[in-house]
Amino acid sequence: MKKATVGAMVVGTAATVAVVAVVLRHRMGKSSKWERARAILKEFEEKCATPDGKLKQVADAMTVEMHAGLASEGGSKLKMLISYVDNLPTGNEGGVFYALDLGGTNFRVLRVQLGGKDGSIVHQEFAEASIPPNLMVGTSEALFDYIAAELAKFVAEEEEKFHPPPGRHRELGFTFSFPIMQTSINSGTLIRWTKGFSIDDTVGKDVVAELTKAMQRREIDMRVSALVNDTVGTLAGGRFTNKDVSIAVILGTGTNAAYVERAQAIPKWHGPLPKSGEMVINMEWGNFRSSHLPLTEYDHAMDTDSLNPGEQIFEKICSGMYLGEILRRVLLRMAEEAGIFGEEVPPKLKNSFILRCSHNSYKKLYRTPEMSAMHHDTSSDLRVVGDKLKDILEISNTSLKTRRLVVELCNIVATRGARLAAAGILGIIKKMGKDAPRESGSEKIVVAMDGGLYEHYTEYSKCLENTLIELLGKEMATGIVFKHANDGSGIGAALLAASNSVYVEDK
């Protein structure tokens, strides 16, 4: 009897030891996997580092490229496009003006009533329409006829008080957010379509002429006074309410900047010097690149897989369309090599650009709300992070440790983007010669900002603003002001129609 009991005990002890060994191996496995996850994070953080010295190198490189782009067409990755806007709003504009904002698969028409000397917008209203998919790949005439029909409907429904005086045309600012070679304030030829449009017979044509013909077919008594890029519109909108605005930056799905340059500092400008002595330059800074940019293997892989490899490198590390995708790629590697979401790699995590939002047609398309929501999560259990991982990626039951890791990654990606955007702005300030204090004290620099990333991703915008102040130094920092100039693509276009009105002398 005793022997049987001892035998049972020996067997039991062996079984216990085996269980303990399995548990220990499991724990050690989990521990080593977690160490691997932390190692991936640490390496990523080091490669994304943006110390002040590096940012100043980026700013200097931006200034050099600006000079090159102004010297000759094709002289730089920065296009430095001449906007033909040499007459920005003064705040004294009065009257009723219209805007047509064609930025993608939706477009808006706006009516803006300006109050004259009191510098106010008395009244504004808009209508919005989607472009049917067949018109995005049809003919130029069909597309512009559709747009003109919506414009005609908008005008037909307006109150009599908005009608122009006898003998005057209505005047329109046309925001056209596709690559164009501008030839005057109200003309420009389409270089290529983007954003899903493919209408061959528009390429190489003047888009203002195409719209004008369509308006004539619809018998709309309206003249296009200004053809506008949305960043230039943001600058105009900012200047209307603040005469010190001289730079505009859009940080949304993509990113771009515009600024006021001395006309004499544009070697490639061969026309007569404008009376104002100034010219707004549309930088197209998303295409900036430099050896000083802190690029990682994830950025290179994303660029290789993109529709435009080798292009828009600055945009791909700073703007809203790409931040969530960089985050996804790092999480995927952690899932594959460190099993942070369990034994199996979640299938949804393999879907490119899944960390994005749907199209919001009135606001600019903005694609990192899941990431910003996770980054902004202040709950003790990071519940928002857990919910987003479950809703978007179908990953359930994440540990608090894993959720904290996700927030750390959000912070690394957003911080790099925001600090590099700040370095870009510093490059513009240097080019304008406003980066050093003057005898009369520091010069006021007002930057008009717009775009969903800047407006809604608070951690990003705070980091950007603080970084620029830090880079300029305490003495200069007092003169820096960031102004949210909402809806430059719409109101800014109407304001530029006003400041370039053929009737401006009459007023």
Side-chain angles (χ1 to χ4, degrees):
M1 196 76 173
K2 273 186 181 178
K3 281 182 182 177
T5 306
V6 170
M9 282 175 64
V10 170
V11 171
T13 305
T16 304
V17 169
V19 169
V20 169
V22 168
V23 169
L24 284 172
R25 274 201 306 276
H26 181 65
R27 283 182 182 169
M28 285 171 68
K30 284 183 78 172
S31 173
S32 62
K33 281 186 174 182
W34 187 251
E35 282 168 14
R36 179 68 193 131
R38 295 301 306 179
I40 292 169
L41 180 130
K42 189 170 184 294
E43 182 191 25
F44 180 61
E45 187 173 30
E46 286 169 358
K47 287 186 176 174
C48 286
T50 51
D52 287 1
K54 183 178 275 291
L55 292 180
K56 286 175 181 175
Q57 289 176 318
V58 170
D60 288 341
M62 182 72 79
T63 305
V64 168
E65 290 299 316
M66 289 172 75
H67 278 284
L70 290 173
S72 63
E73 294 298 346
S76 163
K77 279 281 187 183
L78 296 181
K79 290 201 186 310
M80 302 301 284
L81 299 172
I82 294 167
S83 70
Y84 291 84
V85 172
D86 57 6
N87 198 15
L88 282 161
T90 61
N92 295 328
E93 288 76 15
V96 176
F97 294 90
Y98 298 79
L100 170 61
D101 179 6
L102 178 61
T105 53
N106 294 275
F107 69 94
R108 291 186 299 146
V109 289
L110 299 89
R111 179 171 40 253
V112 180
Q113 185 177 10
L114 304 171
K117 297 242 181 261
D118 66 354
S120 66
I121 294 173
V122 178
H123 177 85
Q124 58 174 300
E125 56 187 297
F126 72 93
E128 190 173 17
S130 295
I131 296 173
N134 63 303
L135 293 183
M136 294 169 65
V137 293
T139 65
S140 188
E141 186 173 310
L143 174 67
F144 284 100
D145 272 352
Y146 177 76
I147 292 168
E150 293 297 323
L151 194 52
K153 198 189 302 178
F154 185 69
V155 170
E157 292 168 358
E158 76 182 11
E159 296 174 55
E160 195 172 327
K161 66 180 180 180
F162 296 126
H163 292 185
R168 282 196 180 185
H169 298 287
R170 292 176 175 84
E171 292 187 285
L172 174 85
F174 182 17
T175 302
F176 187 78
S177 300
F178 299 90
I180 55 166
M181 179 55 71
Q182 197 128 357
T183 46
S184 75
I185 184 60
N186 62 350
S187 63
T189 56
L190 176 66
I191 297 169
R192 66 180 181 277
W193 286 106
T194 56
K195 306 173 190 178
F197 283 77
S198 181
I199 305 170
D200 291 342
D201 67 341
T202 322
V203 177
K205 286 186 179 173
D206 180 353
V207 293
V208 172
E210 294 296 292
L211 176 62
T212 300
K213 284 187 285 187
M215 291 194 297
Q216 287 168 348
R217 288 192 290 270
R218 291 278 170 179
E219 298 182 344
I220 306 169
D221 187 20
M222 191 175 282
R223 173 186 178 274
V224 178
S225 299
L227 177 62
V228 183
N229 167 274
D230 55 357
T231 317
V232 175
T234 298
L235 181 52
R239 177 65 71 92
F240 180 68
T241 53
N242 189 319
K243 63 180 175 51
D244 292 316
V245 168
S246 54
I247 301 170
V249 175
I250 289 181
L251 284 157
T253 302
T255 182
N256 193 13
Y259 75 106
V260 180
E261 181 60 275
R262 290 176 302 111
Q264 288 179 318
I266 311 171
K268 69 181 180 183
W269 171 257
H270 301 301
L273 288 178
K275 285 179 190 173
S276 66
E278 296 180 333
M279 180 66 72
V280 175
I281 298 295
N282 165 20
M283 291 176 62
E284 293 292 339
W285 84 349
N287 208 36
F288 170 70
R289 70 180 309 161
S290 160
S291 59
H292 300 297
L293 292 176
L295 298 172
T296 69
E297 64 197 88
Y298 310 99
D299 302 302
H300 292 301
M302 182 175 71
D303 177 50
T304 301
D305 294 343
S306 70
L307 295 171
N308 54 348
E311 300 294 320
Q312 301 297 104
I313 300 299
F314 194 58
E315 182 168 87
K316 284 170 182 170
I317 51 178
C318 291
S319 77
M321 180 170 181
Y322 301 98
L323 299 186
E325 174 61 5
I326 298 164
L327 172 67
R328 181 196 71 82
R329 285 172 179 264
V330 184
L331 287 174
L332 177 60
R333 186 172 174 203
M334 287 181 169
E336 288 171 342
E337 295 185 18
I340 61 167
F341 298 122
E343 294 301 315
E344 298 292 322
V345 175
K348 291 266 184 179
L349 194 55
K350 296 177 182 177
N351 294 352
S352 296
F353 291 96
I354 192 168
L355 291 175
R356 65 203 290 187
C357 77
S358 59
H359 189 97
N360 181 334
S361 52
Y362 177 52
K363 283 297 196 183
K364 292 177 183 67
L365 181 60
Y366 163 52
R367 290 180 167 171
T368 39
E370 290 91 10
M371 179 174 154
S372 62
M374 292 191 292
H375 194 175
H376 292 147
D377 189 359
T378 55
S379 61
S380 59
D381 60 349
L382 296 179
R383 180 176 40 80
V384 176
V385 177
D387 289 346
K388 290 293 176 190
L389 293 173
K390 186 179 178 183
D391 296 344
I392 310 300
L393 300 172
E394 295 179 1
I395 301 170
S396 303
N397 305 320
T398 50
S399 68
L400 181 56
K401 194 159 67 165
T402 300
R403 296 198 291 274
R404 283 185 182 139
L405 190 74
V406 172
V407 175
E408 277 188 77
L409 283 173
C410 291
N411 190 55
I412 293 166
V413 174
T415 299
R416 179 185 65 165
R419 284 176 65 81
L420 288 171
I425 297 171
L426 177 61
I428 300 172
I429 293 171
K430 280 173 172 279
K431 174 66 184 74
M432 297 173 80
K434 294 185 175 184
D435 59 318
R438 307 199 171 181
E439 288 178 15
S440 56
S442 64
E443 193 170 351
K444 199 169 185 189
I445 304 163
V446 183
V447 186
M449 304 291 299
D450 197 13
L453 186 62
Y454 177 81
E455 187 179 353
H456 301 298
Y457 200 151
T458 311
E459 289 292 333
Y460 185 104
S461 50
K462 273 195 316 192
C463 179
L464 183 153
E465 293 174 9
N466 292 337
T467 301
L468 186 58
I469 289 165
E470 177 188 308
L471 292 171
L472 280 167
K474 282 183 183 174
E475 194 176 353
M476 285 297 297
T478 54
I480 274 280
V481 178
F482 291 90
K483 176 182 169 54
H484 182 215
N486 197 12
D487 193 23
S489 59
I491 291 170
L495 289 167
L496 284 169
S499 56
N500 291 280
S501 166
V502 291
Y503 309 115
V504 75
E505 297 302 322
D506 300 349
K507 291 170 187 165

